[in-house]
Amino acid sequence: MGFEVLRSKKGGYVKNDVIMKLDALNALILALENGMPREQAYAELKKTEQIVLRKEKGGLFGASGFDTGDTDAYIADLTAKIEDLIR
């Protein structure tokens, strides 16, 4: 994946939820690169998949969150990288 930015969008994912999930995925990548056992990494990956990304309310008075398409694509790329490291 090239340089990408998670754009803000009304009704997108709650920013704190996205940041929490991205932090967990990045910590897992770092742990794998430092020798975490595969079985433990796989269990941690399953835990990160359980992190729910809530959506902000849309509409006139809705809050801005991270664009859902951008976020889903970025998380899919991180997950694919983790799965490659586990293999």
Side-chain angles (χ1 to χ4, degrees), residues 32-48:
L32 276 164
E33 289 173 347
N34 288 318
M36 176 185 264
R38 292 178 182 181
E39 297 80 21
Q40 184 181 357
Y42 185 73
E44 289 296 319
L45 178 59
K46 291 301 173 193
K47 284 182 188 176
T48 63

Side-chain angles (χ1 to χ4, degrees), residues 4-80:
E4 301 243 346
V5 176
L6 296 178
R7 296 174 289 181
S8 288
K9 183 176 179 183
K10 275 198 181 222
Y13 288 131
V14 174
K15 290 183 178 184
N16 285 337
D17 292 352
V18 173
I19 291 169
M20 184 174 58
K21 188 163 189 158
L22 293 179
D23 283 347
L25 290 169
N26 284 318
L28 183 53
I29 289 171
L30 183 62
L32 276 164
E33 289 173 347
N34 288 318
M36 176 185 264
R38 292 178 182 181
E39 297 80 21
Q40 184 181 357
Y42 185 73
E44 289 296 319
L45 178 59
K46 291 301 173 193
K47 284 182 188 176
T48 63
E49 290 174 354
Q50 300 303 314
I51 298 172
V52 177
L53 299 178
R54 298 171 293 156
K55 288 188 177 181
E56 294 284 3
K57 291 184 180 180
L60 183 61
F61 298 107
S64 291
F66 286 124
D67 181 77
T68 56
D70 292 351
T71 303
D72 291 341
Y74 189 65
I75 289 173
D77 285 345
L78 286 177
T79 302

